[in-house]
Amino acid sequence: MNILIMKLCLVFAVIIAILWMKRPLFWAISGGLAAALILYGVHVSDALSIMGRSLVSRDTVTVVLSFYFITFLQRMLERRNRLKQAEQSLNWLFNNRRVNASAAPAVIGLLPSAGAMTICAEIVRSSCQDYLSNEDMTCVTSFYRHIPESFLPTYSSILIALAVSGVGAGEFVLAMLPLVAALFFIGHMFYLRKVPRSTGQKTEEGRKKAAVMLFKSLWSIILIVVLIIAFDIPVYVATPMAAVLNIFVDHLKPWEIKPMFRTAFEPIIIFNTILIMMFKDITYTGVIHELPVFFGGLPIPLPMVFALIFFFGTIISGSNAIIPLCMPMAMAAMPDAGVPLLVLLMSSAYAAMQVSPTHVCLFIAAE
């Protein structure tokens, strides 16, 4: 086995071992970062340079800003009990805990920001209560919140893949729909079937009023999604716009808003985010270019070679890095593969993101 691949396995073994010992996530990422520096032989000055660039990089800054603004909006929604109202309206619409725990995170998942995890978590916890363990509720929250990320062109990874591959958005979305249905089914079979269906809450007002109440509760999130899709406005710009408008809609007073500037700042999560971005850049520097060489030498079909490259490359560096690096190579190697190849590669990248320690959303869900 390629020596760099072995070193990569050791780095992730360190992370898993620290987590297995029930230590905080930032210990695990710090341990993995230290292991990567030692195993890859990265000089101290080079390591400091890489981590310094990560600290001020556009990706890091935009992720942190997006999370802060989403959390700020969440504080606004909590102040007027909008999340509770959204859950209540879902109960009236469907009277089904399983629908609440799956549909709500999936809808909120239309918002391409890690900060949306905190909103999803509150609804899942309230819907599942004592029927699932904290670990299972964490898995449900992350799993269903990320289903839209597998196929919707509101996410940068999908947009990059479509641009590089030349496949139309409509073709790709249509081809992914059976797999999206399979994801909902898998989540139900492994987790949500343990949760009773009935919430015990019905309304005499009718579903129309419940639907109106649901819209009033989540209109700000819907507005952000529309701004992103229709006008290509970044999350860290669209969210403050919706928050400012929400001040007037919900008649929030200055004394109510002032504490939110402080409470929206989550130091542990922001610190972990920066640490993960540094870890991603260190591992990317050490091993990412070796993956095609290593997997290309295996006696397996070419589509599977690229699927493995996308899977392990995404675990190391994230889908936004591996897609522009390897998608042109895959499409050039199999020019007639078209949509099926794109679905295979994007599915591999999506699956990898759900278990990658470089995925910011995972530790936010855990926290």
Side-chain angles (χ1 to χ4, degrees):
M1 182 184 288
N2 185 294
I3 188 66
L4 283 177
I5 303 298
M6 291 183 64
K7 290 179 179 179
L8 176 65
C9 292
L10 288 173
V11 169
F12 285 104
V14 169
I15 294 174
I16 293 171
I18 295 175
L19 291 174
W20 191 266
M21 292 187 290
K22 306 294 184 181
R23 294 295 184 265
L25 186 63
F26 75 88
W27 281 35
I29 298 300
S30 298
L33 182 60
L37 293 174
I38 295 170
L39 291 171
Y40 296 146
V42 181
H43 193 273
V44 174
S45 60
D46 293 334
L48 292 175
S49 176
I50 293 171
M51 290 188 288
R53 289 197 299 270
S54 295
L55 181 64
V56 298
S57 70
R58 178 182 176 84
D59 286 346
T60 302
V61 172
T62 55
V63 167
V64 170
L65 283 177
S66 296
F67 176 79
Y68 177 80
F69 290 135
I70 288 291
T71 307
F72 194 98
L73 178 62
Q74 181 190 353
R75 298 291 181 266
M76 288 183 164
L77 298 177
E78 290 171 344
R79 184 68 191 180
R80 291 293 185 264
N81 292 319
R82 296 303 186 191
L83 298 182
K84 289 293 183 183
Q85 291 174 8
E87 182 191 358
Q88 183 69 67
S89 58
L90 284 171
N91 290 340
W92 290 346
L93 277 170
F94 303 105
N95 188 31
N96 193 317
R97 294 177 183 272
R98 299 176 187 178
V99 171
N100 291 4
S102 56
V107 171
I108 295 172
L110 296 172
L111 188 62
S113 170
M117 288 297 299
T118 57
I119 300 175
C120 299
E122 291 297 325
I123 295 177
V124 170
R125 181 183 295 278
S126 180
S127 301
C128 297
Q129 296 179 350
D130 297 330
Y131 299 107
L132 294 179
S133 66
N134 285 338
E135 290 79 9
D136 285 351
M137 283 192 286
T138 301
C139 183
V140 167
T141 301
S142 181
F143 183 84
Y144 281 103
R145 176 258 178 270
H146 286 98
I147 288 179
E149 194 168 338
S150 67
F151 74 107
L152 282 182
T154 57
Y155 287 88
S156 57
S157 59
I158 303 296
L159 293 173
I160 294 171
L162 294 175
V164 173
S165 66
V167 173
E171 290 180 276
F172 175 72
V173 170
L174 188 62
M176 286 295 296
L177 288 181
L179 301 183
V180 170
L183 287 174
F184 275 94
F185 177 75
I186 290 169
H188 176 271
M189 288 300 297
F190 280 90
Y191 294 102
L192 292 185
R193 67 174 180 168
K194 303 175 186 177
V195 180
R197 285 189 175 88
S198 177
T199 64
Q201 300 181 38
K202 296 182 180 180
T203 179
E204 299 177 358
E205 302 294 338
R207 291 188 173 183
K208 182 178 180 180
K209 185 172 182 179
V212 171
M213 180 178 171
L214 181 63
F215 177 79
K216 287 182 178 179
S217 303
L218 299 178
W219 70 266
S220 55
I221 295 175
I222 296 170
L223 174 61
I224 294 170
V225 173
V226 170
L227 290 174
I228 293 168
I229 296 175
F231 302 100
D232 197 27
I233 297 175
V235 176
Y236 58 89
V237 175
T239 306
M241 292 170 63
V244 170
L245 185 58
N246 190 61
I247 293 174
F248 299 99
V249 173
D250 274 348
H251 305 290
L252 289 162
K253 306 295 189 296
W255 62 268
E256 293 179 294
I257 299 171
K258 185 178 178 180
M260 297 177 187
F261 288 98
R262 175 180 53 81
T263 60
F265 184 80
E266 300 275 2
I268 294 177
I269 293 179
I270 290 176
F271 173 75
N272 282 348
T273 299
I274 295 171
L275 199 61
I276 285 175
M277 299 302 280
M278 291 178 177
F279 172 77
K280 181 177 72 172
D281 287 346
I282 289 290
T283 53
Y284 180 90
T285 301
V287 75
I288 194 70
H289 296 288
E290 294 292 324
L291 291 178
V293 177
F294 174 70
F295 288 114
L298 298 178
I300 55 178
L302 193 57
M304 186 57 65
V305 169
F306 280 106
L308 290 172
I309 291 172
F310 267 69
F311 184 83
F312 287 99
T314 299
I315 286 181
I316 298 165
S317 60
S319 56
N320 282 348
I322 199 65
I323 290 170
L325 182 67
C326 292
M327 185 68 77
M329 190 190 315
M331 289 298 172
M334 293 169 280
D336 297 326
V339 176
L341 177 61
L342 180 62
V343 169
L344 172 65
L345 299 182
M346 295 305 292
S347 297
S348 295
Y350 169 78
M353 284 300 289
Q354 308 319 306
V355 295
S356 172
T358 66
H359 190 177
V360 175
C361 291
L362 298 190
F363 77 82
I364 293 178
E367 290 290 340

PDB file of all heavy atoms in Angstrom, residues 151 153 157-170 172-173 323 327 342 346:
ATOM      1  N   PHE A 151     -28.372  16.417  -3.939  1.00  0.00           N
ATOM      2  CA  PHE A 151     -28.848  16.590  -5.315  1.00  0.00           C
ATOM      3  C   PHE A 151     -29.283  18.000  -5.697  1.00  0.00           C
ATOM      4  O   PHE A 151     -29.417  18.296  -6.891  1.00  0.00           O
ATOM      5  CB  PHE A 151     -30.023  15.639  -5.571  1.00  0.00           C
ATOM      6  CG  PHE A 151     -31.316  16.046  -4.917  1.00  0.00           C
ATOM      7  CD1 PHE A 151     -32.349  16.558  -5.680  1.00  0.00           C
ATOM      8  CD2 PHE A 151     -31.504  15.915  -3.548  1.00  0.00           C
ATOM      9  CE1 PHE A 151     -33.557  16.935  -5.086  1.00  0.00           C
ATOM     10  CE2 PHE A 151     -32.697  16.274  -2.953  1.00  0.00           C
ATOM     11  CZ  PHE A 151     -33.730  16.790  -3.723  1.00  0.00           C
ATOM     12  N   PRO A 153     -29.183  21.927  -6.584  1.00  0.00           N
ATOM     13  CA  PRO A 153     -28.186  22.908  -7.029  1.00  0.00           C
ATOM     14  C   PRO A 153     -28.219  24.211  -6.246  1.00  0.00           C
ATOM     15  O   PRO A 153     -27.963  25.283  -6.785  1.00  0.00           O
ATOM     16  CB  PRO A 153     -28.568  23.139  -8.501  1.00  0.00           C
ATOM     17  CG  PRO A 153     -30.025  22.838  -8.584  1.00  0.00           C
ATOM     18  CD  PRO A 153     -30.278  21.761  -7.570  1.00  0.00           C
ATOM     19  N   SER A 157     -21.109  22.487  -4.189  1.00  0.00           N
ATOM     20  CA  SER A 157     -20.522  21.253  -4.731  1.00  0.00           C
ATOM     21  C   SER A 157     -21.309  20.763  -5.949  1.00  0.00           C
ATOM     22  O   SER A 157     -20.714  20.320  -6.943  1.00  0.00           O
ATOM     23  CB  SER A 157     -20.494  20.163  -3.657  1.00  0.00           C
ATOM     24  OG  SER A 157     -21.801  19.891  -3.176  1.00  0.00           O
ATOM     25  N   ILE A 158     -22.636  20.854  -5.886  1.00  0.00           N
ATOM     26  CA  ILE A 158     -23.467  20.427  -7.015  1.00  0.00           C
ATOM     27  C   ILE A 158     -23.267  21.362  -8.206  1.00  0.00           C
ATOM     28  O   ILE A 158     -23.133  20.924  -9.356  1.00  0.00           O
ATOM     29  CB  ILE A 158     -24.957  20.392  -6.621  1.00  0.00           C
ATOM     30  CG1 ILE A 158     -25.181  19.469  -5.420  1.00  0.00           C
ATOM     31  CG2 ILE A 158     -25.806  19.953  -7.805  1.00  0.00           C
ATOM     32  CD1 ILE A 158     -24.874  18.024  -5.670  1.00  0.00           C
ATOM     33  N   LEU A 159     -23.221  22.646  -7.935  1.00  0.00           N
ATOM     34  CA  LEU A 159     -23.035  23.619  -9.014  1.00  0.00           C
ATOM     35  C   LEU A 159     -21.696  23.421  -9.709  1.00  0.00           C
ATOM     36  O   LEU A 159     -21.601  23.491 -10.941  1.00  0.00           O
ATOM     37  CB  LEU A 159     -23.137  25.044  -8.449  1.00  0.00           C
ATOM     38  CG  LEU A 159     -24.526  25.460  -7.938  1.00  0.00           C
ATOM     39  CD1 LEU A 159     -24.449  26.812  -7.250  1.00  0.00           C
ATOM     40  CD2 LEU A 159     -25.527  25.500  -9.074  1.00  0.00           C
ATOM     41  N   ILE A 160     -20.649  23.177  -8.917  1.00  0.00           N
ATOM     42  CA  ILE A 160     -19.315  22.946  -9.497  1.00  0.00           C
ATOM     43  C   ILE A 160     -19.332  21.693 -10.358  1.00  0.00           C
ATOM     44  O   ILE A 160     -18.811  21.676 -11.477  1.00  0.00           O
ATOM     45  CB  ILE A 160     -18.260  22.822  -8.384  1.00  0.00           C
ATOM     46  CG1 ILE A 160     -18.094  24.153  -7.647  1.00  0.00           C
ATOM     47  CG2 ILE A 160     -16.912  22.382  -8.966  1.00  0.00           C
ATOM     48  CD1 ILE A 160     -17.240  24.053  -6.400  1.00  0.00           C
ATOM     49  N   ALA A 161     -19.942  20.616  -9.852  1.00  0.00           N
ATOM     50  CA  ALA A 161     -19.988  19.350 -10.588  1.00  0.00           C
ATOM     51  C   ALA A 161     -20.740  19.497 -11.906  1.00  0.00           C
ATOM     52  O   ALA A 161     -20.311  18.974 -12.940  1.00  0.00           O
ATOM     53  CB  ALA A 161     -20.637  18.275  -9.726  1.00  0.00           C
ATOM     54  N   LEU A 162     -21.862  20.208 -11.880  1.00  0.00           N
ATOM     55  CA  LEU A 162     -22.640  20.407 -13.106  1.00  0.00           C
ATOM     56  C   LEU A 162     -21.862  21.229 -14.124  1.00  0.00           C
ATOM     57  O   LEU A 162     -21.876  20.936 -15.325  1.00  0.00           O
ATOM     58  CB  LEU A 162     -23.967  21.090 -12.777  1.00  0.00           C
ATOM     59  CG  LEU A 162     -24.956  20.280 -11.920  1.00  0.00           C
ATOM     60  CD1 LEU A 162     -26.177  21.120 -11.578  1.00  0.00           C
ATOM     61  CD2 LEU A 162     -25.371  19.004 -12.638  1.00  0.00           C
ATOM     62  N   ALA A 163     -21.169  22.254 -13.635  1.00  0.00           N
ATOM     63  CA  ALA A 163     -20.396  23.111 -14.541  1.00  0.00           C
ATOM     64  C   ALA A 163     -19.243  22.344 -15.175  1.00  0.00           C
ATOM     65  O   ALA A 163     -18.979  22.480 -16.379  1.00  0.00           O
ATOM     66  CB  ALA A 163     -19.865  24.320 -13.770  1.00  0.00           C
ATOM     67  N   VAL A 164     -18.565  21.535 -14.384  1.00  0.00           N
ATOM     68  CA  VAL A 164     -17.398  20.807 -14.879  1.00  0.00           C
ATOM     69  C   VAL A 164     -17.793  19.648 -15.785  1.00  0.00           C
ATOM     70  O   VAL A 164     -17.143  19.384 -16.797  1.00  0.00           O
ATOM     71  CB  VAL A 164     -16.547  20.288 -13.685  1.00  0.00           C
ATOM     72  CG1 VAL A 164     -15.432  19.373 -14.179  1.00  0.00           C
ATOM     73  CG2 VAL A 164     -15.961  21.449 -12.906  1.00  0.00           C
ATOM     74  N   SER A 165     -18.890  18.951 -15.439  1.00  0.00           N
ATOM     75  CA  SER A 165     -19.288  17.767 -16.203  1.00  0.00           C
ATOM     76  C   SER A 165     -20.073  18.103 -17.462  1.00  0.00           C
ATOM     77  O   SER A 165     -20.124  17.296 -18.397  1.00  0.00           O
ATOM     78  CB  SER A 165     -20.133  16.850 -15.316  1.00  0.00           C
ATOM     79  OG  SER A 165     -21.372  17.479 -14.993  1.00  0.00           O
ATOM     80  N   GLY A 166     -20.718  19.273 -17.468  1.00  0.00           N
ATOM     81  CA  GLY A 166     -21.536  19.641 -18.611  1.00  0.00           C
ATOM     82  C   GLY A 166     -22.926  19.028 -18.598  1.00  0.00           C
ATOM     83  O   GLY A 166     -23.687  19.168 -19.559  1.00  0.00           O
ATOM     84  N   VAL A 167     -23.290  18.364 -17.510  1.00  0.00           N
ATOM     85  CA  VAL A 167     -24.621  17.759 -17.371  1.00  0.00           C
ATOM     86  C   VAL A 167     -25.608  18.823 -16.903  1.00  0.00           C
ATOM     87  O   VAL A 167     -25.285  19.653 -16.045  1.00  0.00           O
ATOM     88  CB  VAL A 167     -24.577  16.587 -16.363  1.00  0.00           C
ATOM     89  CG1 VAL A 167     -25.986  16.060 -16.094  1.00  0.00           C
ATOM     90  CG2 VAL A 167     -23.691  15.470 -16.900  1.00  0.00           C
ATOM     91  N   GLY A 168     -26.814  18.798 -17.436  1.00  0.00           N
ATOM     92  CA  GLY A 168     -27.827  19.763 -17.050  1.00  0.00           C
ATOM     93  C   GLY A 168     -28.357  19.508 -15.650  1.00  0.00           C
ATOM     94  O   GLY A 168     -28.411  18.366 -15.192  1.00  0.00           O
ATOM     95  N   ALA A 169     -28.755  20.583 -14.965  1.00  0.00           N
ATOM     96  CA  ALA A 169     -29.262  20.464 -13.595  1.00  0.00           C
ATOM     97  C   ALA A 169     -30.504  19.586 -13.543  1.00  0.00           C
ATOM     98  O   ALA A 169     -30.658  18.755 -12.638  1.00  0.00           O
ATOM     99  CB  ALA A 169     -29.562  21.848 -13.018  1.00  0.00           C
ATOM    100  N   GLY A 170     -31.409  19.767 -14.503  1.00  0.00           N
ATOM    101  CA  GLY A 170     -32.641  18.982 -14.526  1.00  0.00           C
ATOM    102  C   GLY A 170     -32.367  17.493 -14.676  1.00  0.00           C
ATOM    103  O   GLY A 170     -32.986  16.669 -13.989  1.00  0.00           O
ATOM    104  N   PHE A 172     -29.667  15.855 -13.840  1.00  0.00           N
ATOM    105  CA  PHE A 172     -29.027  15.337 -12.628  1.00  0.00           C
ATOM    106  C   PHE A 172     -30.043  15.175 -11.507  1.00  0.00           C
ATOM    107  O   PHE A 172     -30.082  14.132 -10.845  1.00  0.00           O
ATOM    108  CB  PHE A 172     -27.897  16.267 -12.195  1.00  0.00           C
ATOM    109  CG  PHE A 172     -27.263  15.872 -10.890  1.00  0.00           C
ATOM    110  CD1 PHE A 172     -26.444  14.754 -10.815  1.00  0.00           C
ATOM    111  CD2 PHE A 172     -27.479  16.614  -9.739  1.00  0.00           C
ATOM    112  CE1 PHE A 172     -25.860  14.368  -9.610  1.00  0.00           C
ATOM    113  CE2 PHE A 172     -26.905  16.252  -8.535  1.00  0.00           C
ATOM    114  CZ  PHE A 172     -26.088  15.117  -8.465  1.00  0.00           C
ATOM    115  N   VAL A 173     -30.868  16.190 -11.276  1.00  0.00           N
ATOM    116  CA  VAL A 173     -31.860  16.120 -10.196  1.00  0.00           C
ATOM    117  C   VAL A 173     -32.818  14.958 -10.429  1.00  0.00           C
ATOM    118  O   VAL A 173     -33.124  14.193  -9.501  1.00  0.00           O
ATOM    119  CB  VAL A 173     -32.634  17.449 -10.089  1.00  0.00           C
ATOM    120  CG1 VAL A 173     -33.818  17.304  -9.135  1.00  0.00           C
ATOM    121  CG2 VAL A 173     -31.713  18.561  -9.609  1.00  0.00           C
ATOM    122  N   ILE A 323     -14.036  17.651  -6.291  1.00  0.00           N
ATOM    123  CA  ILE A 323     -14.812  17.737  -7.530  1.00  0.00           C
ATOM    124  C   ILE A 323     -14.058  18.485  -8.634  1.00  0.00           C
ATOM    125  O   ILE A 323     -13.884  17.949  -9.738  1.00  0.00           O
ATOM    126  CB  ILE A 323     -16.199  18.358  -7.267  1.00  0.00           C
ATOM    127  CG1 ILE A 323     -17.059  17.373  -6.465  1.00  0.00           C
ATOM    128  CG2 ILE A 323     -16.901  18.721  -8.575  1.00  0.00           C
ATOM    129  CD1 ILE A 323     -18.350  17.963  -5.949  1.00  0.00           C
ATOM    130  N   MET A 327     -13.092  15.642 -11.235  1.00  0.00           N
ATOM    131  CA  MET A 327     -14.227  15.468 -12.132  1.00  0.00           C
ATOM    132  C   MET A 327     -13.829  15.602 -13.607  1.00  0.00           C
ATOM    133  O   MET A 327     -14.247  14.779 -14.443  1.00  0.00           O
ATOM    134  CB  MET A 327     -15.334  16.461 -11.790  1.00  0.00           C
ATOM    135  CG  MET A 327     -16.621  16.275 -12.611  1.00  0.00           C
ATOM    136  SD  MET A 327     -17.487  14.745 -12.214  1.00  0.00           S
ATOM    137  CE  MET A 327     -18.259  15.193 -10.662  1.00  0.00           C
ATOM    138  N   LEU A 342     -21.814  10.739 -13.342  1.00  0.00           N
ATOM    139  CA  LEU A 342     -21.934  11.880 -12.438  1.00  0.00           C
ATOM    140  C   LEU A 342     -22.695  11.483 -11.172  1.00  0.00           C
ATOM    141  O   LEU A 342     -22.292  11.851 -10.054  1.00  0.00           O
ATOM    142  CB  LEU A 342     -22.646  13.041 -13.137  1.00  0.00           C
ATOM    143  CG  LEU A 342     -22.847  14.308 -12.293  1.00  0.00           C
ATOM    144  CD1 LEU A 342     -21.508  14.898 -11.877  1.00  0.00           C
ATOM    145  CD2 LEU A 342     -23.661  15.340 -13.063  1.00  0.00           C
ATOM    146  N   MET A 346     -20.945  11.691  -7.494  1.00  0.00           N
ATOM    147  CA  MET A 346     -21.531  12.601  -6.510  1.00  0.00           C
ATOM    148  C   MET A 346     -22.118  11.832  -5.334  1.00  0.00           C
ATOM    149  O   MET A 346     -22.104  12.317  -4.195  1.00  0.00           O
ATOM    150  CB  MET A 346     -22.595  13.474  -7.168  1.00  0.00           C
ATOM    151  CG  MET A 346     -22.038  14.432  -8.222  1.00  0.00           C
ATOM    152  SD  MET A 346     -20.702  15.483  -7.586  1.00  0.00           S
ATOM    153  CE  MET A 346     -21.617  16.505  -6.436  1.00  0.00           C
TER     154      MET A 346
END
